[in-house]
Amino acid sequence: MRATVELIANGRLADAGLVNICRSAGVSRGALYHHFPSIAELVAEVHAQAQGRVLALADDSFADGGADAPARFSVALGKALTDDQLVRAGLRLAPDGSDTPPRLREAMLDRVRAEVLTEAPERPDQKVLADLAVVVTAGLESLGYTDTAWWSRESTERIWDMLLPLFKEAG
């Protein structure tokens, strides 16, 4: 698992082939297949474990509600992306172990949108705020792959400090 996570988190799914995983993990093909019947099932397990961590972040961030919940989630996600290779790898994966949509990334963004919409569902501008929360979260996540400073608390809070008045005004 560890080797697969590292290969995906620091590269791409194509880097997590049988030879690379076995070499990185220091195990034989037989040992790998003893634990996982296929590479697809191994990668699907990476997705499943990452999904648990991302859902826990979302649950914690949105538990108390409030206009600043999307900001709390963005900060928590940035920290997880910085510190946790499993989350970084898992966001790129679909439940079947592929990198085709719907990936964990899309599920996470759908959750952000749904949470913002539940704050004030009757307000027409709430849909715009939900879209804004998704765009900011997706943008920070994407930009961080080329410059991890985007995942920092400082960068995330700086952006959300500009946006929070809009969310508080709508709430």
Side-chain angles (χ1 to χ4, degrees):
M1 278 284 297
R2 179 195 50 77
T4 305
V5 165
E6 287 176 6
L7 289 166
I8 297 169
N10 299 319
R12 53 200 169 96
L13 180 58
D15 296 331
L18 177 65
V19 172
N20 287 343
I21 293 169
C22 291
R23 184 180 309 129
S24 181
V27 300
S28 68
R29 292 177 186 184
L32 179 67
Y33 284 127
H34 174 73
H35 295 285
F36 294 95
S38 70
I39 298 300
E41 288 189 33
L42 170 59
V43 175
E45 180 61 23
V46 171
H47 172 276
Q49 289 188 21
Q51 180 180 33
R53 292 187 188 177
V54 171
L55 289 175
L57 290 174
D59 290 346
D60 290 346
S61 299
F62 292 104
D64 296 331
D68 62 338
R72 290 192 306 265
F73 178 72
S74 287
V75 169
L77 180 64
K79 181 169 179 19
L81 287 165
T82 301
D83 298 344
D84 191 342
Q85 290 187 81
L86 179 64
V87 170
R88 198 163 57 246
L91 283 177
R92 297 175 169 186
L93 302 173
D96 66 359
S98 72
D99 60 356
T100 58
R103 296 170 300 199
L104 180 54
R105 180 182 196 267
E106 284 82 22
M108 170 199 67
L109 296 172
D110 288 345
R111 171 77 184 270
V112 168
R113 188 172 205 290
E115 291 287 351
V116 174
L117 286 173
T118 60
E119 272 300 304
E122 68 285 346
R123 292 184 53 110
D125 58 345
Q126 200 67 16
K127 288 182 181 179
V128 174
L129 291 176
D131 291 343
L132 182 58
V134 167
V135 167
V136 171
T137 303
L140 290 168
E141 182 258 343
S142 294
L143 289 167
Y145 288 106
T146 55
D147 181 358
T148 58
W150 287 105
W151 293 337
S152 72
R153 175 179 287 277
E154 295 78 22
S155 292
T156 304
E157 287 180 345
R158 178 175 46 86
I159 290 168
W160 277 103
D161 284 348
M162 296 292 292
L163 298 173
L164 277 175
L166 296 171
F167 285 76
K168 289 178 180 175
E169 181 180 303

